[in-house]
Amino acid sequence: MSAIPKAVARLIDEFAKLPGVGPKTASRLTFYLLRAPEEQVQALADALYELRRHLVTCSRCFNIGETNPCGICSDTSRDQATVCVVEEPLDVIAIERTGAYKGLYHVLHGAISPVDGILPQDLRIRELVQRVKQEPIEEVILATNPTLEGEATAEYIARQLRSHGVRLTRLARGLPMGGDLEYADEVTLSRALQGRSEWHQ
Amino acid sequence: MRPERARTYRTEGIILNRRDWGEADRLITLLTPEHGKLRVVAIGARKPTTRKSGHLELFTRGLFVLARGRTFDKLTQAQTLDYFTNIRHDLTRIGQAGVLCELVDRFLEEADAAPAVYDLLHNALLALDSGDNGDVVLFHFQMQLFDLVGYRPVLHQCVVCEDPLEPVAQFISVALGGVVCPTCYQRLHADEGPLAKQIVRTLSLNALKVLRFLQTAPWPRIRRLRLPAEVREEVRTLLDLWATHHLERGLRSGRFLREIEASYKKEKKP
């Protein structure tokens, strides 16, 4: 017999499945909710419920949104000839926050990874190739992460799209704002040198 | 055991695996010569301003400073020694390097010093990077690794009767640990019936010769090895089987490599 009531144990288990949450944090969150005001718990429960009920995956860009097609895809004022390919929906949010991009997106939902066994067919790459064939796309920006997995994914997509006559570009790689040359690794630094640009271009 | 006393220590290492951890951290599996396989946390490695993340890519060989922690040691400084650039531009080589690292990660226990495995992995990555035949690099690596972790296949005598082998096609059994001569196979078949077929498979004379060569010859001779497609397939299947049997589960990167090769083959045809 466990000393913890079943309902509590169940919530702890559920919390512990979340990324970055261990068993200790899970119990802390659970016991916090036990003491929290009724409205707060209700608000959390509603938010969780709504999350799945009202969110849909856009059938065009595979971003998550409230409508299908999503807000970005149905916004005709955006540049329809440019598609930015990203790994995760969170990356869309990050790029949108810059306010510097006015084109469309394509969310892959992951990156090719040998050690995690994630293959090209597990991602939305086939759908991207279809989009390039069917839509008036002129430029595809490969905005996967500058990691081994992201580079491999970009490389694979580039191979698939090379024969389709679109301009393929990759996000610039270089030094981060607030960075320090002394601590930069050779690869980042050499990429930064290769990709140097005119002052005040 | 992890080295005691000093609060921080320096070590060389190769990054076998890494995954996201917590808010902005990464959990890194590192192979080091003196401390064996270590799992360490790189705090803040996913933040854009980090000074570490560029040095913490998969397959990178580097110098690391680690601080002792309660569950995992913390990675405080990192500096790249070898980046293996050529591996990274080629999906097939990425897959092959992935297999090397996954094999080491799975076969080795944590914190068991393994300088020989470290050298083996380092040399295999260098060979892949320099453009040596990826299959041969992989075969040689697997054979040597089995040796180092205690699963060396018996290839010069029959594992059942222990008689030296005649130069004819033989049988081989992963479960029994090596080559079974035709006479013993017949006896096994008579005793066990269909079960014998399940644990023993045929082995062509050519494949046996290649396996022996991989087990005993030095790398400079092995790297010149050119294999006909059917022998290569036989050796590959057998070595994969050997690994899967002892690990009790297939390799994720092995599946990845097969898929990549298959998709490239398809691309070339039309």
Side-chain angles (χ1 to χ4, degrees), chain B residues 217-230:
Chain B
W219 171 244
R221 283 185 61 207
I222 294 178
R223 67 183 289 230
R224 291 199 297 267
L225 193 64
R226 293 288 170 271
L227 296 173
E230 71 277 5

Side-chain angles (χ1 to χ4, degrees), chain A:
Chain A
M1 262 296 281
S2 160
I4 308 172
K6 263 204 190 104
V8 177
R10 191 175 146 205
L11 187 58
I12 293 178
D13 282 349
E14 289 306 318
F15 273 132
K17 287 179 193 163
L18 301 177
V21 179
K24 282 281 185 285
T25 309
S27 358
R28 217 159 26 233
L29 290 173
T30 308
F31 281 95
Y32 168 78
L33 288 175
L34 275 178
R35 274 184 314 231
E38 181 75 27
E39 310 85 71
Q40 195 187 342
V41 178
Q42 191 59 49
L44 176 67
D46 288 347
L48 282 176
Y49 185 68
E50 297 286 299
L51 180 69
R52 271 309 168 83
R53 222 168 60 107
H54 289 302
L55 278 190
V56 285
T57 306
C58 173
S59 59
R60 188 175 177 203
C61 70
F62 299 97
N63 193 8
I64 45 165
E66 283 166 4
T67 52
N68 179 21
C70 69
I72 295 175
C73 283
S74 44
D75 182 352
T76 47
S77 69
R78 297 188 76 108
D79 175 10
Q80 306 286 316
T82 314
V83 172
C84 180
V85 181
V86 294
E87 290 179 18
E88 301 290 345
L90 275 174
D91 301 334
V92 174
I93 298 172
I95 296 179
E96 280 299 289
R97 245 191 338 244
T98 66
Y101 179 67
K102 291 280 171 262
L104 303 175
Y105 291 94
H106 189 89
V107 184
L108 298 170
H109 291 275
I112 296 176
S113 165
V115 284
D116 298 322
I118 299 172
L119 300 166
Q121 56 262 42
D122 300 331
L123 307 174
R124 302 285 186 182
I125 294 178
R126 209 171 309 127
E127 289 85 348
L128 175 66
V129 178
Q130 278 303 319
R131 274 185 80 177
V132 170
K133 275 186 197 161
Q134 288 162 2
E135 294 176 26
I137 293 169
E138 286 163 18
E139 177 177 356
V140 174
I141 305 173
L142 300 168
T144 50
N145 289 334
T147 57
L148 176 101
E149 291 83 355
E151 295 282 320
T153 313
E155 168 85 26
Y156 184 85
I157 295 176
R159 278 179 86 111
Q160 303 288 310
L161 292 181
R162 208 161 280 158
S163 55
H164 288 82
V166 282
R167 180 173 173 224
L168 290 169
T169 53
R170 179 91 174 103
L171 283 194
R173 284 150 296 186
L175 298 164
M177 285 304 289
D180 203 326
L181 275 196
E182 185 193 351
Y183 288 106
D185 59 289
E186 294 78 352
V187 184
T188 306
L189 207 49
S190 63
R191 287 268 169 77
L193 273 171
Q194 279 167 19
R196 67 187 187 277
S197 50
E198 294 298 328
W199 183 247
H200 291 313
Q201 59 176 356

Side-chain angles (χ1 to χ4, degrees), chain B residues 228-241:
Chain B
E230 71 277 5
V231 180
R232 193 180 60 215
E233 270 318 298
E234 193 178 351
V235 170
R236 172 197 274 222
T237 313
L238 197 79
L239 289 173
D240 284 354
L241 230 101

